[in-house]
């Protein structure tokens, strides 16, 4: 069924998105990095052109030996998520009013969308090369999963609506920031400082992108609070779908939920984090203090204000058990019982 008929982007919404285009243009220099000053994946990888490249590569691989299978699985899942970037750029370009009409449009929204994509492109690139060079994971299986994921696509149920879209990205950028940062902490704990630094750089980009999307949405809240709060509540009711939920290694259609369980187990991304993100966004957009709204919008406001508490209670009840095999790790098994 085509859900486009259920949610209709109004002409007023399009006017709002158009009216903040100038503001977006003014902010671009602080929201995106200057390319010439930006980090690149090769800054964090062994220099294969150096005379002592073998030594450098050996050092690099030795450091990665410290990583546990749990950390590797989560890093692989995060990398695969990043590598499905073509899907996300396509999605971003479908949002009404934000579309890059020519592919090289000078409009602020189009410049944002290409700038965001080009920064994100470094994430999958760096993590992919990192993992390949460690020699610790089955790269063919990982690549097959990326191939399937891009092939399967992703439907976050944002219906090409820019309000729903920017709520989604505000949430998702914060979620990826948390996830990369936590993998970095675990890497450091294991003694792999280099991966800690890599994850920190990526998390820094995610933090800047989170700031951008929150800012776009703040502007929308200023101009159209009644509809903005409805959009926020709508996304929370349908729950934030993870961008890589349709991943498949060709053998196991449940590989995404297995990866999510490992992330939950080692504390990289948990139900508690989900609750924390809701709370942060409710505070950011000052939902409690919204005035002048009534009817469905006032109900949405009330729903949102109590929501993170509900997820926190749910988080207390999460329990995982059993063990799972991962093709990414040559079928090695990971116990899912939490570490005590
Ligand atoms: Fe990313
Ligand atoms: Fe991101």
């Amino acid at each position: 069924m085509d859900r486009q008929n259920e949610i209709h982007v109004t002409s007023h919404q399009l006017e709002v998105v158009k009216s903040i285009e100038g503001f977006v243009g003014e902010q671009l220099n602080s929201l995106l990095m200057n390319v010439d000053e930006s980090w690149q994946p090769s800054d964090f990888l062994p220099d294969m052109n150096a005379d002592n490249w073998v030594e450098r590569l050996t050092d690099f691989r030795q450091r990665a030996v410290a990583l546990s299978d749990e950390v590797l699985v989560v890093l692989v899942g995060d990398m695969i998520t990043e590598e499905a970037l073509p899907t996300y750029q396509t999605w971003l370009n479908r949002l009404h009013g934000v579309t890059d009409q020519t592919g090289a449009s000078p409009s602020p929204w189009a410049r944002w969308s290409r700038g965001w994509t080009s920064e994100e492109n470094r994430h999958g690139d760096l993590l992919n090369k990192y993992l390949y060079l460690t020699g610790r994971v089955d790269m063919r299986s990982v690549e097959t999963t990326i191939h399937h994921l891009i092939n399967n696509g992703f439907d976050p149920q944002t219906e090409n609506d820019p309000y729903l879209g920017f709520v989604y990205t505000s949430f998702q950028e914060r979620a990826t920031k948390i996830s990369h940062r936590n993998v970095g902490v675990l890497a450091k704990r294991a003694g792999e400082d280099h991966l800690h630094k890599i994850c920190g750089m990526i998390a820094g980009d995610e933090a800047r992108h989170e700031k951008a999307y929150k800012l776009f949405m703040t502007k929308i809240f200023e101009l159209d609070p009644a509809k903005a709060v409805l959009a926020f509540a709508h996304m929370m009711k349908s729950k934030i779908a993870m961008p890589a939920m349709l991943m498949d290694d060709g053998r196991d259609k449940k590989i995404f939920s297995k990866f999510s369980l490992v992330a939950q187990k080692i504390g990289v991304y948990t139900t508690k984090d989900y609750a924390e993100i809701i709370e942060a966004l409710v505070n950011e957009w000052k939902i409690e203090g919204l005035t002048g709204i009534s009817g469905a919008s006032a109900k949405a406001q009330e729903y949102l204000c109590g929501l993170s508490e509900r997820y926190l209670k749910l988080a207390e009840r999460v329990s995982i058990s059993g063990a799972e095999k991962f093709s990414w790790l040559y079928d090695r098994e990971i116990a899912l019982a939490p570490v005590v």
Side-chain angles (χ1 to χ4, degrees):
M1 191 188 72
D2 187 355
R3 292 192 312 267
Q4 298 307 311
N5 298 328
E6 290 178 30
I7 293 178
H8 179 62
V9 179
T10 63
S11 55
H12 179 61
Q13 276 184 277
L14 288 178
E15 276 164 34
V16 168
V17 171
K18 182 83 192 147
S19 73
I20 58 176
E21 205 169 23
F23 169 78
V24 171
E26 285 162 23
Q27 301 295 315
L28 281 180
N29 283 346
S30 64
L31 297 176
L32 292 168
M33 284 179 96
N34 180 318
V35 179
D36 297 324
E37 289 163 16
S38 170
W39 64 267
Q40 297 299 341
S42 57
D43 299 338
F44 300 94
L45 294 163
D47 182 356
M48 299 307 231
N49 191 44
D51 290 340
N52 63 344
W53 69 269
V54 174
E55 234 170 88
R56 289 176 188 225
L57 185 57
T58 306
D59 280 357
F60 175 91
R61 286 167 69 101
Q62 262 161 9
R63 282 196 298 258
V65 169
L67 300 174
S68 66
D69 279 351
E70 283 92 340
V71 170
L72 284 174
V73 157
V74 173
L75 190 60
V76 166
D78 284 352
M79 179 269 263
I80 291 169
T81 306
E82 296 283 354
E83 288 283 56
L85 183 61
T87 306
Y88 317 142
Q89 187 179 23
T90 306
W91 169 85
L92 189 58
N93 265 318
R94 278 199 313 270
L95 296 182
H96 291 300
V98 179
T99 310
D100 182 346
Q101 296 290 349
T102 64
S105 162
S107 84
W109 282 124
R111 275 159 52 217
W112 163 258
S113 132
R114 294 195 303 272
W116 173 83
T117 305
S118 55
E119 290 192 350
E120 287 284 341
N121 187 52
R122 300 167 304 154
H123 301 172
D125 194 1
L126 174 54
L127 294 179
N128 193 323
K129 284 173 180 146
Y130 175 90
L131 281 160
Y132 168 70
L133 289 175
T134 64
R136 303 239 6 235
V137 300
D138 181 342
M139 282 308 290
R140 194 168 202 289
S141 163
V142 170
E143 288 158 354
T144 302
T145 314
I146 296 169
H147 197 149
H148 273 296
L149 177 59
I150 298 176
N151 204 15
N152 291 344
F154 164 55
D155 176 6
Q157 308 206 354
T158 42
E159 319 299 350
N160 302 342
D161 178 321
Y163 291 15
L164 297 178
F166 292 149
V167 169
Y168 181 80
T169 46
S170 298
F171 192 105
Q172 201 51 49
E173 295 287 358
R174 191 174 180 95
T176 47
K177 174 186 78 180
I178 291 170
S179 180
H180 288 304
R181 194 158 282 163
N182 285 337
V183 171
V185 168
L186 292 173
K188 192 178 175 70
R189 214 175 280 164
E192 210 320 26
D193 281 350
H194 191 62
L195 180 60
H196 173 248
K197 201 188 278 176
I198 286 174
C199 291
M201 293 305 294
I202 296 176
D205 278 2
E206 308 293 11
R208 194 158 31 74
H209 297 164
E210 174 199 347
K211 192 177 147 205
Y213 286 118
K214 285 192 310 198
L215 191 61
F216 303 159
M217 208 52 215
T218 298
K219 279 286 181 199
I220 292 173
F221 266 103
E222 275 168 31
L223 296 164
D224 192 4
K227 190 96 197 220
V229 75
L230 280 177
F232 187 12
H234 178 90
M235 283 315 294
M236 293 303 121
K237 275 180 189 157
S238 58
K239 297 210 178 72
I240 295 289
M242 290 297 142
M245 61 185 293
L246 297 180
M247 69 166 68
D248 174 2
D249 62 357
R251 282 176 23 193
D252 185 356
K253 299 250 182 287
K254 288 190 183 150
I255 195 156
F256 177 78
S257 54
K258 284 165 38 175
F259 147 63
S260 304
L261 286 173
V262 178
Q264 176 93 27
K265 173 194 165 184
I266 61 173
V268 164
Y269 185 70
T270 65
T271 309
K272 209 168 155 217
D273 292 318
Y274 194 97
E276 182 273 332
I277 298 172
I278 296 171
E279 194 189 357
L281 294 180
V282 165
N283 292 338
E284 180 78 26
W285 295 323
K286 303 183 173 59
I287 300 300
E288 218 163 41
L290 284 182
T291 53
I293 52 170
S294 57
S297 299
K299 273 200 186 119
Q301 177 185 34
E302 199 187 318
Y303 163 77
L304 287 166
C305 289
L307 193 58
S308 74
E309 201 58 41
R310 277 160 62 183
Y311 275 98
L312 276 178
K313 284 199 181 113
L314 192 70
E316 286 166 17
R317 293 204 298 270
V318 171
S319 86
I320 44 178
S321 57
E324 295 286 0
K325 280 184 183 162
F326 285 85
S327 63
W328 305 334
L329 296 185
Y330 300 97
D331 279 338
R332 292 199 297 277
E333 199 172 72
I334 291 187
L336 293 175
V339 186
V340 186

